Amino acid sequence: QVQVVESGGGSVQSGGALRLTCAVSGHFFSSYCMCWFRQAQGKGREGVAAIAYDGSTSYADSVRGRFTISQDNAKNTLYLQMNSLKPEDTSRYYCEVTPSTRGVKSGGYCVDRDGYWGSGTQVIVSS
């Protein structure tokens, strides 16, 4: 059974930085797409960044140049380095892994979605 656990959230001031971590266990996918998405209270799901098994990446326009997605295949871990944080980045951040060969698409999304995700980690950015 696949388990996804996000960590690294917290409270920071505007302009600060956080590094989110997503640990995946329970199954190995040779082809996959992993992404970070966020969902603020009362709002819909918003793509943030995605990375496929071949290393291709995609970012939402709102975070490009500030956030960096990366992965450590040996550790089955996904990261999101968030710099120059803004109050509008305040949200709950989720990691999702989906078995897929179709890679990423624009806007920080995987082509295929609705795989496995965790309970998220809260990020609060104060002005």
Side-chain angles (χ1 to χ4, degrees), residues 2 24-33 53 76 97-100 116:
V2 178
V24 181
S25 62
H27 193 78
F28 170 75
F29 302 109
S30 59
S31 301
Y32 58 86
C33 188
Y53 67 100
N76 288 338
V97 56
T98 303
S100 173
Y116 305 89

Side-chain angles (χ1 to χ4, degrees), residues 36-38 45-49 59-60 62-63 107-109:
W36 290 97
F37 66 91
R38 61 192 182 188
R45 170 173 167 164
E46 177 186 11
V48 175
Y59 293 91
S62 60
V63 308
Y109 292 99

Side-chain angles (χ1 to χ4, degrees), residues 81-103:
Q81 178 65 44
M82 306 188 296
N83 298 328
S84 303
L85 282 161
K86 304 176 180 180
E88 50 264 44
D89 294 318
T90 294
S91 190
R92 192 162 189 87
Y93 286 71
Y94 298 84
C95 165
E96 183 180 73
V97 56
T98 303
S100 173
T101 60
R102 301 207 292 162

Side-chain angles (χ1 to χ4, degrees), residues 22-29 34 71-78:
C22 171
V24 181
S25 62
H27 193 78
F28 170 75
F29 302 109
M34 298 182 73
Q71 59 185 337
D72 185 333
N73 292 333
K75 296 181 179 180
N76 288 338
T77 303
L78 181 72

Side-chain angles (χ1 to χ4, degrees), residues 16 18 52 57-58:
L18 286 172
T57 59
S58 172

